[in-house]
Amino acid sequence: MQPSLNDCKYLPECVTSRRSVQGLSDIPGLGALQARSRNVEVFHPNSLNLAGGSKASNMDLDPMAIYVVDDHAAMRRSLDALLASVGFSTTLFSSGEEFLAAADDLPAGILLTDLRMSGMDGLDLVARLKAGNHDFPAIIMTAHGDVDAAIRALRLGARDFIQKPFREAELLAILQREAEAIRNSGTSEAIRLMAQVKLAELSPREFEVVQALAQGKTNKTIAHELALSVRTVEMHRSRAMDRLGCRNIAELVAIALHGDILAMSANDDIALS
């Protein structure tokens, strides 16, 4: 019997709607999600559309493997239903330990893992995969109180994060981007360049503040190093977030890390050719 999508308290707000899940079957291609959804930001690390050109229908592509790791069975089933509805091939795991045990035999694909789980959490899983040279682009699902942990996950090598409750279009935009990166090795470089273009729009002082935030420094530490007041640092941080279209610090750091800001200087010229 098909599980009821309306009965689970753990679901992202979009997945609890049976109507919205069924409606996705009418979308001709995942790329259209960004154009059709008013809920996805124009520039947000989760919704970058960088490949250029027209998107093929998901029926024209081999199903991309998505590995869902979550210790809540209802959440796994609901994500399985959502992802299958747009052509992804999903494999479900109830723990990080279970995924690690199978990782050596799994084909290329995307890891979608919860951050907080019993036993091994999402941070530990990403770290273990990195240590074992397993190349699974990782997307971390977090609660609103886990922004610091999401930043640590990005530093460990996770590709992105998404905060619960999330909308289906936002999640699918992330997964589509990562699927394209696997199919087309040039996509990752395009993501880096586009993030650097955005970072180049910052003022020199805003750039310095964002660069320090990407290093994990606090506002107080940044203020001391730059000989500024904490209030001034907070002002530059807020302006940088506005310029980059970020809703929180984790998104700001995500763009900074996508653009490899630690290797940049404030006056770098960005070559797009």
Side-chain angles (χ1 to χ4, degrees):
M1 180 177 179
Q2 189 73 11
S4 171
L5 298 180
N6 295 317
D7 294 338
C8 177
K9 64 181 179 181
Y10 301 110
L11 301 184
E13 64 183 44
C14 61
V15 181
T16 58
S17 168
R18 183 186 304 275
R19 180 179 178 184
S20 64
V21 170
Q22 291 176 337
L24 285 172
S25 63
D26 298 326
I27 297 176
L30 287 175
L33 283 169
Q34 289 176 285
R36 296 190 180 197
S37 173
R38 290 173 293 180
N39 299 323
V40 179
E41 300 294 331
V42 174
F43 183 88
H44 176 274
N46 293 350
S47 58
L48 283 170
N49 185 359
L50 303 175
S54 60
K55 297 291 188 296
S57 165
N58 55 22
M59 296 301 292
D60 298 329
L61 300 172
D62 294 333
M64 176 58 62
I66 309 293
Y67 303 114
V68 177
V69 181
D70 198 296
D71 57 355
H72 293 300
M75 184 66 167
R76 294 195 302 272
R77 290 194 300 266
S78 300
L79 287 169
D80 186 29
L82 171 64
L83 300 178
S85 73
V86 291
F88 286 118
S89 173
T90 57
T91 305
L92 310 180
F93 298 87
S94 61
S95 69
E97 291 88 345
E98 184 182 4
F99 179 78
L100 275 177
D104 286 338
D105 300 320
L106 295 174
I110 301 165
L111 172 63
L112 177 62
T113 180
D114 197 16
L115 176 65
R116 299 198 179 278
M117 298 181 286
S118 57
M120 182 184 297
D121 65 18
L123 282 175
D124 290 336
L125 177 56
V126 171
R128 293 278 295 275
L129 288 170
K130 182 178 181 180
N133 293 318
H134 292 295
D135 189 16
F136 294 102
I139 310 301
I140 309 292
M141 297 180 288
T142 74
H144 285 292
D146 291 329
V147 172
D148 289 342
I151 292 174
R152 291 200 301 274
L154 291 168
R155 292 198 185 105
L156 283 171
R159 292 291 302 166
D160 220 323
F161 73 98
I162 185 167
Q163 289 188 341
K164 300 175 183 177
F166 50 78
R167 296 181 176 88
E168 59 194 24
E170 187 178 10
L171 174 62
L172 293 173
I174 298 173
L175 295 175
Q176 187 237 357
R177 184 200 69 203
E178 294 304 324
E180 288 179 350
I182 291 174
R183 295 187 178 104
N184 177 6
S185 60
T187 303
S188 295
E189 177 65 9
I191 291 172
R192 185 183 69 82
L193 287 173
M194 287 301 292
Q196 288 188 347
V197 168
K198 298 299 293 185
L199 292 169
E201 296 176 3
L202 300 176
S203 71
R205 187 63 85 185
E206 290 165 359
F207 185 94
E208 289 178 327
V209 169
V210 173
Q211 193 173 54
L213 289 169
Q215 293 174 303
K217 296 178 181 178
T218 65
N219 290 338
K220 185 176 180 179
T221 299
I222 298 169
H224 175 74
E225 291 182 351
L226 299 181
L228 302 171
S229 69
V230 172
R231 183 179 295 274
T232 300
V233 170
E234 292 173 345
M235 177 193 70
H236 288 305
R237 184 189 69 185
S238 177
R239 288 179 177 174
M241 290 175 64
D242 288 342
R243 286 183 193 271
L244 299 179
C246 299
R247 294 169 292 187
N248 54 50
I249 298 300
E251 291 183 3
L252 182 68
V253 172
I255 292 178
L257 294 177
H258 279 310
D260 196 15
I261 194 171
L262 301 183
M264 295 176 64
S265 63
N267 57 1
D268 275 350
D269 292 326
I270 308 301
L272 296 179
S273 59

Short mmCIF file of all heavy atoms in Angstrom, two decimals, residues 209-243:
data_model
loop_
_atom_site.label_atom_id
_atom_site.label_comp_id
_atom_site.label_asym_id
_atom_site.label_seq_id
_atom_site.Cartn_x
_atom_site.Cartn_y
_atom_site.Cartn_z
N VAL A 209 35.41 40.87 4.81
CA VAL A 209 34.55 40.33 5.86
C VAL A 209 34.03 38.95 5.46
O VAL A 209 34.06 38.00 6.26
CB VAL A 209 33.37 41.29 6.15
CG1 VAL A 209 32.32 40.62 7.04
CG2 VAL A 209 33.89 42.57 6.82
N VAL A 210 33.57 38.81 4.21
CA VAL A 210 33.07 37.51 3.75
C VAL A 210 34.18 36.47 3.74
O VAL A 210 33.98 35.31 4.11
CB VAL A 210 32.42 37.65 2.35
CG1 VAL A 210 32.04 36.27 1.80
CG2 VAL A 210 31.19 38.54 2.42
N GLN A 211 35.36 36.86 3.31
CA GLN A 211 36.49 35.95 3.28
C GLN A 211 36.81 35.45 4.70
O GLN A 211 37.09 34.26 4.91
CB GLN A 211 37.70 36.64 2.67
CG GLN A 211 38.84 35.71 2.30
CD GLN A 211 39.94 36.44 1.55
OE1 GLN A 211 40.46 37.45 2.02
NE2 GLN A 211 40.29 35.94 0.36
N ALA A 212 36.75 36.34 5.66
CA ALA A 212 37.00 35.94 7.05
C ALA A 212 35.90 35.03 7.58
O ALA A 212 36.17 34.07 8.30
CB ALA A 212 37.14 37.19 7.93
N LEU A 213 34.66 35.32 7.22
CA LEU A 213 33.55 34.45 7.64
C LEU A 213 33.72 33.05 7.08
O LEU A 213 33.43 32.06 7.74
CB LEU A 213 32.22 35.06 7.18
CG LEU A 213 31.75 36.32 7.91
CD1 LEU A 213 30.56 36.95 7.18
CD2 LEU A 213 31.36 36.00 9.36
N ALA A 214 34.20 32.97 5.84
CA ALA A 214 34.41 31.66 5.21
C ALA A 214 35.51 30.88 5.91
O ALA A 214 35.59 29.65 5.78
CB ALA A 214 34.75 31.83 3.73
N GLN A 215 36.36 31.58 6.65
CA GLN A 215 37.41 30.91 7.42
C GLN A 215 36.92 30.51 8.81
O GLN A 215 37.69 29.95 9.59
CB GLN A 215 38.62 31.84 7.56
CG GLN A 215 39.34 32.11 6.24
CD GLN A 215 40.43 33.15 6.37
OE1 GLN A 215 40.18 34.27 6.80
NE2 GLN A 215 41.65 32.78 6.03
N GLY A 216 35.65 30.79 9.10
CA GLY A 216 35.08 30.41 10.38
C GLY A 216 35.31 31.42 11.49
O GLY A 216 35.09 31.12 12.67
N LYS A 217 35.74 32.63 11.15
CA LYS A 217 36.02 33.64 12.17
C LYS A 217 34.74 34.33 12.63
O LYS A 217 33.80 34.49 11.86
CB LYS A 217 37.00 34.69 11.61
CG LYS A 217 38.36 34.11 11.27
CD LYS A 217 39.28 35.16 10.67
CE LYS A 217 40.65 34.55 10.31
NZ LYS A 217 41.55 35.54 9.68
N THR A 218 34.72 34.72 13.90
CA THR A 218 33.57 35.41 14.47
C THR A 218 33.62 36.89 14.12
O THR A 218 34.68 37.43 13.74
CB THR A 218 33.53 35.25 15.98
OG1 THR A 218 34.68 35.92 16.55
CG2 THR A 218 33.55 33.78 16.39
N ASN A 219 32.47 37.57 14.31
CA ASN A 219 32.45 39.01 14.07
C ASN A 219 33.46 39.74 14.95
O ASN A 219 34.12 40.68 14.51
CB ASN A 219 31.05 39.57 14.35
CG ASN A 219 30.04 39.12 13.31
OD1 ASN A 219 30.40 38.75 12.21
ND2 ASN A 219 28.77 39.17 13.67
N LYS A 220 33.60 39.31 16.19
CA LYS A 220 34.53 39.95 17.12
C LYS A 220 35.98 39.79 16.64
O LYS A 220 36.76 40.75 16.67
CB LYS A 220 34.36 39.36 18.51
CG LYS A 220 35.21 40.03 19.58
CD LYS A 220 34.91 39.46 20.96
CE LYS A 220 35.76 40.15 22.03
NZ LYS A 220 35.45 39.60 23.39
N THR A 221 36.31 38.59 16.18
CA THR A 221 37.67 38.35 15.68
C THR A 221 37.94 39.17 14.43
O THR A 221 39.02 39.76 14.27
CB THR A 221 37.88 36.86 15.38
OG1 THR A 221 37.71 36.11 16.59
CG2 THR A 221 39.26 36.59 14.81
N ILE A 222 36.96 39.21 13.53
CA ILE A 222 37.11 39.98 12.29
C ILE A 222 37.30 41.46 12.62
O ILE A 222 38.15 42.14 12.03
CB ILE A 222 35.90 39.77 11.37
CG1 ILE A 222 35.78 38.31 10.95
CG2 ILE A 222 35.99 40.67 10.14
CD1 ILE A 222 34.47 37.97 10.25
N ALA A 223 36.52 41.97 13.56
CA ALA A 223 36.62 43.37 13.96
C ALA A 223 38.02 43.69 14.48
O ALA A 223 38.62 44.72 14.13
CB ALA A 223 35.57 43.69 15.02
N HIS A 224 38.57 42.80 15.28
CA HIS A 224 39.91 43.01 15.83
C HIS A 224 40.96 42.99 14.72
O HIS A 224 41.85 43.86 14.68
CB HIS A 224 40.22 41.92 16.86
CG HIS A 224 41.63 41.98 17.39
ND1 HIS A 224 42.04 42.95 18.29
CD2 HIS A 224 42.72 41.20 17.14
CE1 HIS A 224 43.33 42.76 18.56
NE2 HIS A 224 43.76 41.71 17.89
N GLU A 225 40.87 42.03 13.80
CA GLU A 225 41.87 41.90 12.74
C GLU A 225 41.82 43.05 11.75
O GLU A 225 42.84 43.45 11.20
CB GLU A 225 41.69 40.57 12.01
CG GLU A 225 42.04 39.35 12.86
CD GLU A 225 41.89 38.06 12.10
OE1 GLU A 225 41.35 38.09 10.97
OE2 GLU A 225 42.33 37.01 12.63
N LEU A 226 40.61 43.59 11.50
CA LEU A 226 40.47 44.66 10.52
C LEU A 226 40.42 46.04 11.16
O LEU A 226 40.22 47.04 10.46
CB LEU A 226 39.20 44.44 9.68
CG LEU A 226 39.14 43.16 8.85
CD1 LEU A 226 37.83 43.09 8.06
CD2 LEU A 226 40.33 43.07 7.91
N ALA A 227 40.59 46.10 12.50
CA ALA A 227 40.57 47.36 13.24
C ALA A 227 39.25 48.10 13.02
O ALA A 227 39.21 49.31 12.76
CB ALA A 227 41.76 48.24 12.84
N LEU A 228 38.16 47.35 13.13
CA LEU A 228 36.82 47.90 12.98
C LEU A 228 36.02 47.60 14.24
O LEU A 228 36.40 46.76 15.06
CB LEU A 228 36.11 47.28 11.77
CG LEU A 228 36.77 47.44 10.40
CD1 LEU A 228 36.04 46.58 9.37
CD2 LEU A 228 36.76 48.90 9.97
N SER A 229 34.89 48.26 14.38
CA SER A 229 33.97 47.90 15.45
C SER A 229 33.15 46.69 15.03
O SER A 229 32.99 46.41 13.83
CB SER A 229 33.03 49.07 15.77
OG SER A 229 32.13 49.28 14.69
N VAL A 230 32.64 45.94 15.99
CA VAL A 230 31.79 44.79 15.68
C VAL A 230 30.56 45.25 14.89
O VAL A 230 30.12 44.57 13.95
CB VAL A 230 31.38 44.07 16.97
CG1 VAL A 230 30.34 42.98 16.67
CG2 VAL A 230 32.60 43.46 17.66
N ARG A 231 30.01 46.40 15.26
CA ARG A 231 28.84 46.91 14.55
C ARG A 231 29.16 47.18 13.07
O ARG A 231 28.33 46.90 12.19
CB ARG A 231 28.33 48.19 15.22
CG ARG A 231 27.07 48.76 14.58
CD ARG A 231 26.61 49.99 15.31
NE ARG A 231 26.21 49.68 16.67
CZ ARG A 231 24.99 49.27 17.00
NH1 ARG A 231 24.08 49.12 16.06
NH2 ARG A 231 24.69 49.03 18.25
N THR A 232 30.35 47.68 12.80
CA THR A 232 30.74 47.95 11.40
C THR A 232 30.90 46.64 10.63
O THR A 232 30.49 46.54 9.47
CB THR A 232 32.05 48.75 11.36
OG1 THR A 232 31.86 50.00 12.03
CG2 THR A 232 32.47 49.02 9.92
N VAL A 233 31.48 45.63 11.27
CA VAL A 233 31.60 44.32 10.63
C VAL A 233 30.21 43.77 10.31
O VAL A 233 29.97 43.25 9.20
CB VAL A 233 32.37 43.34 11.54
CG1 VAL A 233 32.27 41.91 10.99
CG2 VAL A 233 33.82 43.76 11.65
N GLU A 234 29.28 43.88 11.25
CA GLU A 234 27.91 43.40 11.01
C GLU A 234 27.26 44.15 9.87
O GLU A 234 26.50 43.57 9.08
CB GLU A 234 27.10 43.55 12.30
CG GLU A 234 27.54 42.62 13.42
CD GLU A 234 26.83 42.91 14.72
OE1 GLU A 234 26.22 44.01 14.84
OE2 GLU A 234 26.90 42.06 15.64
N MET A 235 27.55 45.45 9.74
CA MET A 235 27.00 46.24 8.64
C MET A 235 27.53 45.73 7.31
O MET A 235 26.76 45.55 6.34
CB MET A 235 27.36 47.71 8.83
CG MET A 235 26.88 48.62 7.69
SD MET A 235 27.63 50.27 7.76
CE MET A 235 29.33 49.87 7.30
N HIS A 236 28.85 45.50 7.22
CA HIS A 236 29.43 45.01 5.97
C HIS A 236 28.90 43.61 5.64
O HIS A 236 28.64 43.29 4.47
CB HIS A 236 30.95 44.98 6.06
CG HIS A 236 31.59 46.32 6.03
ND1 HIS A 236 31.38 47.24 5.01
CD2 HIS A 236 32.46 46.93 6.89
CE1 HIS A 236 32.07 48.34 5.23
NE2 HIS A 236 32.74 48.18 6.38
N ARG A 237 28.74 42.78 6.65
CA ARG A 237 28.19 41.44 6.44
C ARG A 237 26.77 41.53 5.89
O ARG A 237 26.41 40.81 4.95
CB ARG A 237 28.18 40.66 7.76
CG ARG A 237 27.72 39.22 7.62
CD ARG A 237 27.54 38.60 9.00
NE ARG A 237 26.40 39.18 9.69
CZ ARG A 237 26.06 38.90 10.94
NH1 ARG A 237 26.81 38.08 11.66
NH2 ARG A 237 25.00 39.46 11.49
N SER A 238 25.95 42.40 6.46
CA SER A 238 24.57 42.56 6.00
C SER A 238 24.51 43.05 4.57
O SER A 238 23.71 42.57 3.76
CB SER A 238 23.84 43.53 6.93
OG SER A 238 22.52 43.76 6.49
N ARG A 239 25.38 44.01 4.22
CA ARG A 239 25.39 44.52 2.85
C ARG A 239 25.85 43.44 1.87
O ARG A 239 25.32 43.35 0.75
CB ARG A 239 26.31 45.74 2.77
CG ARG A 239 25.74 46.99 3.43
CD ARG A 239 26.70 48.17 3.34
NE ARG A 239 26.12 49.37 3.92
CZ ARG A 239 26.77 50.51 4.07
NH1 ARG A 239 28.03 50.61 3.66
NH2 ARG A 239 26.18 51.56 4.62
N ALA A 240 26.82 42.64 2.28
CA ALA A 240 27.28 41.55 1.41
C ALA A 240 26.16 40.54 1.17
O ALA A 240 25.96 40.05 0.05
CB ALA A 240 28.49 40.86 2.03
N MET A 241 25.40 40.23 2.21
CA MET A 241 24.28 39.30 2.07
C MET A 241 23.24 39.86 1.10
O MET A 241 22.69 39.13 0.27
CB MET A 241 23.66 39.01 3.43
CG MET A 241 24.55 38.16 4.34
SD MET A 241 23.87 37.94 6.00
CE MET A 241 22.37 37.01 5.61
N ASP A 242 22.97 41.16 1.20
CA ASP A 242 22.01 41.78 0.28
C ASP A 242 22.50 41.71 -1.16
O ASP A 242 21.74 41.40 -2.08
CB ASP A 242 21.77 43.24 0.68
CG ASP A 242 20.96 43.38 1.95
OD1 ASP A 242 20.29 42.39 2.35
OD2 ASP A 242 20.98 44.48 2.56
N ARG A 243 23.78 42.01 -1.39
CA ARG A 243 24.32 41.98 -2.75
C ARG A 243 24.26 40.58 -3.35
O ARG A 243 24.01 40.42 -4.55
CB ARG A 243 25.78 42.44 -2.74
CG ARG A 243 26.02 43.92 -2.54
CD ARG A 243 27.50 44.22 -2.63
NE ARG A 243 27.85 45.53 -2.15
CZ ARG A 243 27.87 46.64 -2.91
NH1 ARG A 243 27.53 46.55 -4.18
NH2 ARG A 243 28.22 47.81 -2.39
#
